[in-house]
Amino acid sequence: MDESDENQQFYRSKHISYFKRTLNVLPEECEKLDPTRLSLAFFALSGLDLLNALDSLSPMLKEDTIKWIYHLQITLNEEESNARQCGFRGSTDISFKNMETSTPFYNGHIAMTYVALNCLLILGDDLSRVDKDGIVNGLKALQLDNGCFAATINGSEDDMRFVYCACCISTMINDWRGINKHKAIDYILSSIGYDGGISQGPELESHAGSTFCAVASLYLMGCLDTCLADKQKEILKRWLVNRQIDGFQGRPNKLQDTCYSFWVGATLKLLGLYDCIDFERQRRYLLSTQSKFVGGFAKWTNTFPDPLHSYFGICGLSLAHEFDLLELHPALNITMRAYAHLERLS
Amino acid sequence: MMSSDVDDPVGVLYRHDPEWADVTPIKQDDGLASVVSIAYSEKFKDVFDYFRAIMKSQEVSERAFKLTSDAVATCPANYSVWQYRRKLLKDLKKNLFDELEMIGNFIIEEPKNYQVWYHRRVLVEWLQDATLELSFTAEVLQDDPKNFHAWQHRQWCLNIFGLWANKGDSELEFVNNQIKEDVRNNSAWNQRYYVISNTTGFSGEILDKEISYTWYWITKAPNNESSWNYLRGILNGRRKAYLHPNLKSDCLHLISQDLKSSHLLAFLFDLIEEELDDLNDDIESNYKLELLAKAGELCNRLSDEVDPIRIKYWKYMKRRLIRKFNPNDSQNS
């Protein structure tokens, strides 16, 4: 392999600029991401946090961000008629001034509630303005009879991603009344595939993303060790380590993609087997997906960067303790620094 | 719907449309501060200014329905628009088959978008009619044989509507063709497991057939993880690999052909470990030591030669094996 050192450089300051730009203004092409703007803010904030560069943001910007996040919250009204709607939205797409929080279709979205809480913790907020009862009610409205979670009321798909969000949310508000844990665990266990990986739901194809969501959920519910038998853990570990090509892939015989360095890597961390990966080959792949000129990471080499892959690329390197990045909490997906702040709040 | 039609040529914004003169558009309200601002196009701002207006008034009308068409074309991931559209579909008693056709075309253009697939699912539910779904998902899979949404929708339709023609034979044939097209299509192998689980089950004779079927494809592509995972998966909890009359010898035969397949060696390793699990603990037999040596040797070959990217994993597996079966022998490495 004849790779110049230049290709193996970590463009730290470029990534900081990239994330700062993301927090500021995004180009027109990003308008299709409008409903999930809050997740873009999360990628940028948590990315800067991992880079230990949060203080490059002005205190005013941090305050403005907190204000904007709380503006997205749907709180329980006095009559409690909107209990099922509570949580956070991802953007102000359908908001208007002086709207009732019981306005039809104005519902929280479970993934946006999750990233909202993450962002608030990263920014050092004390969560005192978070309507925890509202959130608990919102979660209850989203859990199905089979234990899975939908994303929002009034019609939404349901799968392992939202089981994960529910567990993270409950952890962060330190209140598990919104989840029937037994049912959630049943759903997770019934989604284990014949190949040892875990899927979005029963009988579907095992996937690294849903595997992470399932394992992290079990971890957060405090039953990772008891719910999976040794044999199940071993076959799961095998499935996970087999995902490495140089970087990692999401399913057998698929292409590698930057973000799987997190989905697979974090799962291996939770199972205590992360150190078995090939660090060198992962590093080479991740660094090759950096954008030298605009910063950020793409899913593949020689491809345009985007906020999601930029964030998970940094996560992948953080898990590997590379480049002085801050440590990542492998289940909650925030820095240990932000997690320490959460612990101090409890 | 997606492209402009005669009545609404490109460039005519809602705010210039006399049909909408009675409605006050509502600008986006980010509150006192805004981050992650998007430089929306004029069209985007215009469509959503009016969408917010109809959300506020909860307008139910043909023009509102048409507005939702524009809104989803502009921003397909906006689940709130899709939700409101579904309300209008019901309130206006729209033709659901027309909508099914629309969403089919949309899915072909945006095959990885969650909202369009969910919308189709709801339509099929409302219609209680899944007759088009197998051919529709097959069409999507032609473009992308591993599209997770397509396979998921297909399974959902089979589960809810029981579209198991000829006791699952026709779905099995579909899977068979997918595997023939690309033996490395992991989604197809997963579907195979799904079909058999839900029809005949993996009973004795079926299991034999499946083992032979899988072995055939293994010989064609010996390092294909999908087929090895399937083989291990169908045996798990049903039959012990080491007790099968041919598997062990077939594996050894492939190894003797010097095939550098990590999954082959790993399968043999697992087979031996299972045999060791079943041996009586008290017996410090030569046979047990022989098996341990063989398994250890496989780990060595994997870490040193055949699967070097996973060298640390195979060293871990070897240590684990020794700890488990020969705890007194701590010098073995």
Side-chain angles (χ1 to χ4, degrees):
Chain A
M1 251 194 307
D2 188 35
E3 249 156 356
S4 65
D5 280 339
E6 198 198 68
N7 290 346
Q8 291 306 295
Q9 216 193 319
F10 178 58
Y11 302 116
R12 187 189 149 79
S13 57
K14 293 275 182 193
H15 299 317
I16 292 173
S17 305
Y18 179 87
F19 287 131
K20 286 173 79 169
R21 278 200 310 277
T22 301
L23 272 178
N24 189 13
V25 184
L26 290 160
E28 192 180 292
E29 304 89 73
C30 291
E31 65 185 19
K32 294 206 185 257
L33 299 174
D34 183 52
T36 54
R37 271 168 72 196
L38 187 46
S39 65
L40 301 176
F42 164 67
F43 294 142
L45 289 170
S46 199
L48 286 168
D49 198 6
L50 284 166
L51 288 159
N52 203 9
L54 269 182
D55 286 335
S56 67
L57 300 175
S58 68
M60 193 172 98
L61 178 56
K62 289 182 189 174
E63 249 182 68
D64 278 353
T65 307
I66 292 174
K67 264 193 209 133
W68 183 72
I69 294 171
Y70 276 116
H71 183 69
L72 297 167
Q73 182 174 210
I74 295 151
T75 52
L76 206 51
N77 58 23
E78 261 183 51
E79 310 83 54
E80 299 201 3
S81 63
N82 69 344
R84 288 161 38 89
Q85 293 168 258
C86 294
F88 286 77
R89 285 188 70 83
S91 74
T92 47
D93 55 348
I94 61 169
S95 311
F96 46 88
K97 282 190 162 61
N98 305 317
M99 69 190 300
E100 299 290 328
T101 56
S102 56
T103 302
F105 299 102
Y106 191 61
N107 331 314
H109 186 288
I110 203 173
M112 298 302 113
T113 303
Y114 160 60
V115 294
L117 293 171
N118 272 4
C119 288
L120 290 170
L121 288 173
I122 292 166
L123 292 167
D125 186 74
D126 64 3
L127 305 188
S128 56
R129 283 171 281 170
V130 171
D131 180 1
K132 296 181 185 174
D133 278 337
I135 286 177
V136 165
N137 277 290
L139 285 182
K140 278 189 188 157
L142 295 173
Q143 188 166 26
L144 308 182
D145 212 43
N146 66 0
C148 192
F149 279 81
T152 186
I153 59 168
N154 290 140
S156 145
E157 73 277 19
D158 56 275
D159 57 51
M160 200 63 77
R161 295 174 292 160
F162 309 128
V163 175
Y164 169 69
C165 292
C167 289
C168 286
I169 291 166
S170 302
T171 301
M172 289 189 280
I173 62 171
N174 199 17
D175 188 336
W176 288 83
R177 288 177 296 149
I179 302 187
N180 179 322
K181 279 190 189 176
H182 287 298
K183 285 191 174 179
I185 291 167
D186 276 343
Y187 182 80
I188 291 171
L189 297 179
S190 69
S191 300
I192 298 175
Y194 62 84
D195 56 5
I198 308 180
S199 176
Q200 292 286 17
E203 300 190 292
L204 296 170
E205 188 184 358
S206 305
H207 186 283
S210 42
T211 300
F212 165 77
C213 289
V215 172
S217 296
L218 291 176
Y219 174 86
L220 291 170
M221 287 192 281
C223 62
L224 180 55
D225 281 327
T226 47
C227 284
L228 294 176
D230 275 342
K231 211 172 165 213
Q232 274 176 318
K233 280 194 206 132
E234 286 308 314
I235 184 177
L236 172 57
K237 286 174 189 173
R238 173 84 59 85
W239 190 87
L240 288 162
V241 298
N242 273 340
R243 302 286 59 75
Q244 185 167 22
I245 304 175
D246 282 298
F248 288 81
Q249 65 190 174
R251 297 178 263 170
N253 294 319
K254 292 275 286 178
L255 296 176
Q256 58 194 344
D257 171 333
T258 298
C259 66
Y260 292 109
S261 282
F262 172 75
W263 304 117
V264 178
T267 314
L268 283 170
K269 276 268 183 188
L270 293 169
L271 293 167
L273 202 69
Y274 185 77
D275 289 340
C276 284
I277 69 159
D278 187 321
F279 286 78
E280 171 77 25
R281 285 169 77 161
Q282 176 185 239
R283 187 192 321 118
R284 284 187 173 277
Y285 180 73
L286 290 178
L287 293 180
S288 78
T289 65
Q290 291 177 106
S291 173
K292 188 172 161 186
F293 301 108
V294 305
F297 290 69
K299 55 168 30 171
W300 301 320
T301 314
N302 292 325
T303 316
F304 237 66
D306 62 72
L308 182 146
H309 289 94
S310 300
Y311 175 63
F312 286 117
I314 304 266
C315 287
L317 292 169
S318 161
L319 289 170
H321 298 304
E322 313 259 18
F323 305 115
D324 295 321
L325 295 166
L326 293 193
E327 196 184 338
L328 187 65
H329 188 294
L332 287 173
N333 190 19
I334 49 177
T335 56
M336 291 305 290
R337 185 202 66 80
Y339 179 66
H341 171 65
L342 171 66
E343 291 205 291
R344 285 193 294 273
L345 290 177
S346 308
Chain B
M1 188 220 89
M2 304 271 294
S3 53
S4 57
D5 64 51
V6 197
D7 294 317
D8 188 30
V10 172
V12 175
L13 300 172
Y14 283 89
R15 63 174 183 263
H16 297 149
D17 187 344
E19 204 196 308
W20 285 88
D22 60 306
V23 172
T24 313
I26 301 178
K27 293 249 168 276
Q28 187 175 64
D29 170 37
D30 267 339
L32 298 167
S34 175
V35 277
V36 215
S37 305
I38 298 176
Y40 305 108
S41 61
E42 277 308 306
K43 180 170 164 68
F44 188 102
K45 282 191 281 198
D46 182 65
V47 168
F48 278 91
D49 284 350
Y50 279 83
F51 183 72
R52 279 183 279 272
I54 63 160
M55 282 291 273
K56 182 174 182 182
S57 64
Q58 293 283 295
E59 179 173 325
V60 174
S61 66
E62 268 307 317
R63 70 174 183 180
F65 184 73
K66 197 161 173 299
L67 175 58
T68 64
S69 301
D70 268 337
V72 295
T74 307
C75 191
N78 195 310
Y79 58 88
S80 303
V81 181
W82 287 108
Q83 287 183 343
Y84 197 75
R85 187 181 174 88
R86 283 192 285 272
K87 170 187 152 66
L88 293 176
L89 280 168
K90 283 206 144 138
D91 291 349
L92 296 171
K93 296 183 171 49
K94 302 292 282 181
N95 184 314
L96 297 180
F97 282 104
D98 287 346
E99 187 74 358
L100 197 65
E101 193 185 327
M102 182 283 288
I103 202 65
N105 293 330
F106 211 134
I107 289 172
I108 301 288
E109 291 211 17
E110 304 270 355
K112 297 195 177 181
N113 169 304
Y114 282 91
Q115 286 71 40
V116 295
W117 281 101
Y118 180 73
H119 192 69
R120 189 177 179 99
R121 192 174 121 154
V122 174
L123 293 172
V124 169
E125 243 171 358
W126 285 352
L127 287 166
Q128 281 295 298
D129 184 347
T131 44
L132 297 173
E133 302 314 292
L134 293 182
S135 61
F136 176 71
T137 50
E139 189 187 335
V140 175
L141 289 169
Q142 243 189 334
D143 278 340
D144 178 8
K146 301 182 186 183
N147 184 309
F148 195 92
H149 301 274
W151 286 110
Q152 181 169 18
H153 186 76
R154 200 176 169 92
Q155 279 197 10
W156 178 79
C157 292
L158 285 162
N159 290 341
I160 305 291
F161 296 93
L163 307 165
W164 299 103
N166 302 324
K167 296 190 184 134
D169 276 351
S170 90
E171 185 65 11
L172 200 57
E173 197 189 314
F174 179 77
V175 164
N176 225 351
N177 289 332
Q178 293 284 327
I179 290 175
K180 276 188 206 157
E181 274 285 317
D182 178 9
V183 67
R184 290 175 184 81
N185 185 337
N186 196 66
S187 312
W189 284 97
N190 182 75
Q191 189 76 351
R192 190 177 186 89
Y193 191 91
Y194 162 77
V195 172
I196 295 178
S197 304
N198 284 283
T199 51
T200 57
F202 289 96
S203 61
E205 202 188 299
I206 304 288
L207 185 54
D208 283 331
K209 275 198 199 146
E210 286 304 298
I211 293 169
S212 302
Y213 175 89
T214 312
W215 194 259
Y216 169 79
W217 287 111
I218 280 173
T219 56
K220 291 277 176 255
N223 206 22
N224 174 17
E225 187 184 344
S226 299
S227 43
W228 285 105
N229 283 354
Y230 184 79
L231 180 62
R232 196 184 52 209
I234 61 178
L235 291 167
N236 188 21
R238 297 187 183 96
R239 205 173 296 173
K240 309 264 184 178
Y242 72 88
L243 287 174
H244 189 278
N246 310 315
L247 269 178
K248 194 173 191 173
S249 52
D250 285 345
C251 285
L252 291 169
H253 177 68
L254 283 184
I255 289 180
S256 72
Q257 294 180 335
D258 206 27
L259 280 168
K260 301 267 190 281
S261 163
S262 62
H263 303 293
L264 163 64
L265 273 74
F267 184 84
L268 198 47
F269 173 88
D270 291 337
L271 183 155
I272 293 174
E273 184 175 359
E274 194 170 39
E275 191 171 355
L276 282 165
D277 274 333
D278 290 348
L279 280 182
N280 192 320
D281 280 313
D282 297 335
I283 297 178
E284 267 290 327
S285 65
N286 283 331
Y287 186 58
K288 179 181 170 184
L289 293 172
E290 205 179 293
L291 287 178
L292 270 175
K294 186 76 206 159
E297 191 196 308
L298 286 165
C299 286
N300 291 342
R301 275 202 73 193
L302 281 158
S303 37
D304 300 340
E305 189 191 329
V306 178
D307 202 15
I309 192 175
R310 276 165 275 276
I311 180 172
K312 288 187 268 183
Y313 173 74
W314 290 113
K315 286 196 194 287
Y316 152 79
M317 287 299 278
K318 188 175 175 185
R319 284 195 307 274
R320 201 184 123 267
L321 184 82
I322 291 165
R323 258 202 317 271
K324 190 175 172 189
F325 296 107
N326 212 350
N328 301 318
D329 187 359
S330 52
Q331 275 132 5
N332 205 349
S333 62

